[in-house]
Structure formats: C-alpha cells, structure tokens
C-alpha cells in the first residue's frame, strides 16, 4: 500500500511546519506544504495528493475561493479538502458543508490529536 500524501496550504510558515511534522511523525503520511494559494493549485494539479488541508483566511486568496477553484478543475475536483480556521461559526459550518468540504479543524488545534481528526474526517481507517 502506498503512503498517503497530504497537501497543506496555509500562509503561516510555522503552522505548515507543525502540521507537516504531526502528519509525518504520527500519521506516517507524506506531506507537501506551501504558503501560497497559487502554488497550492499547482501542487494539487501536478502532485495529486490524497487530501488537502486548507487555511480559510489567507491574504492572496481565501480558502473558500481556492476550494471552489479546485472543485471546478477536472484533475483536482475529487481531492478531499479539510479546512482549518480560527473562526468557527455555525453559519460558516453550514456554508462549508453545503460546498462539500470534508470537515473543519479549528485553530488552535491539538497536535497530538490532529492525525486522529483527519483520519476520522476522511474516513481513512
């Protein structure tokens, strides 16, 4: 069985590093990281990760806009996406669910539980 790979797109470098370490050490998954939404699109298209963790609030392009773009492209539309956000409001959760997002992880998150949360949201048993 091949190792799963997750693309992490978040404008905060330190956060992408922490997420990457958690996923590689506790989940034994491979990771790709970027702080640029535009580079994230390129990585999603060329690397075809098994899932994407996407920050909602980024300066160049917000996560929902990036998610909608990925879902409009044939070669990325099937990649499951989990959003990460510091602002979890019920109206936002309703919007995210209606878009087909696999789930939301709130910031700050517990690094020791991150793999468990992702496994549950993506149903990777």
């Amino acid at each position: 069985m091949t190792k799963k790979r997750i693309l992490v797109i978040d404008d905060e470098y330190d956060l992408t590093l922490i997420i990457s370490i958690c996923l590689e050490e506790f989940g034994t998954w491979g990771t790709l990281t970027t702080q640029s939404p535009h580079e994230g699109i390129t990585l999603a298209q060329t690397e075809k990760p098994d899932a994407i963790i996407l920050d909602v609030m980024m300066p160049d392009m917000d996560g929902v806009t990036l998610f909608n773009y990925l879902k409009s492209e044939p070669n990325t539309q099937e990649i499951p996406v989990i959003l990460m956000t510091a602002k979890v409001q019920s109206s936002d959760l309703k919007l995210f669910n209606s878009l087909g997002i696999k789930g939301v992880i709130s910031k700050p998150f517990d690094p020791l539980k991150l793999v468990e949360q992702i496994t549950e949201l993506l149903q990777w048993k």
Side-chain angles (χ1 to χ4, degrees):
M1 188 163 134
T2 59
K3 186 181 204 178
K4 293 199 182 289
R5 293 182 313 145
I6 298 178
L7 171 59
V8 180
I9 307 170
D10 193 307
D11 60 311
E12 296 180 48
Y13 172 78
D14 291 341
L15 198 54
T16 61
L17 182 61
I18 291 167
I19 294 168
S20 179
I21 290 169
C22 290
L23 300 184
E24 290 176 4
E25 293 299 318
F26 303 127
T28 65
W29 300 323
T31 59
L32 304 158
T33 62
T34 182
Q35 291 76 53
S36 163
H38 300 288
E39 184 180 0
I41 291 169
T42 301
L43 286 170
Q45 292 172 333
T46 58
E47 297 294 326
K48 306 276 195 299
D50 296 291
I52 297 172
I53 296 177
L54 178 58
D55 185 24
V56 173
M57 296 189 310
M58 296 183 286
D60 296 336
M61 179 188 307
D62 68 77
V64 174
T65 301
L66 178 50
F67 172 82
N68 286 329
Y69 180 81
L70 293 170
K71 291 304 168 185
S72 73
E73 293 294 309
N75 59 343
T76 56
Q77 65 186 1
E78 298 300 320
I79 301 171
V81 175
I82 295 172
L83 293 180
M84 289 193 107
T85 183
K87 294 183 178 181
V88 181
Q89 299 177 0
S90 61
S91 60
D92 291 333
L93 292 176
K94 287 178 187 176
L95 169 67
F96 301 155
N97 285 334
S98 72
L99 294 173
I101 288 165
K102 289 294 180 185
V104 177
I105 296 174
S106 60
K107 294 179 184 177
F109 59 90
D110 181 343
L112 298 176
K113 294 183 180 179
L114 185 60
V115 167
E116 183 181 323
Q117 287 178 288
I118 293 169
T119 300
E120 185 177 312
L121 291 171
L122 297 175
Q123 299 177 349
W124 286 356
K125 303 289 183 206

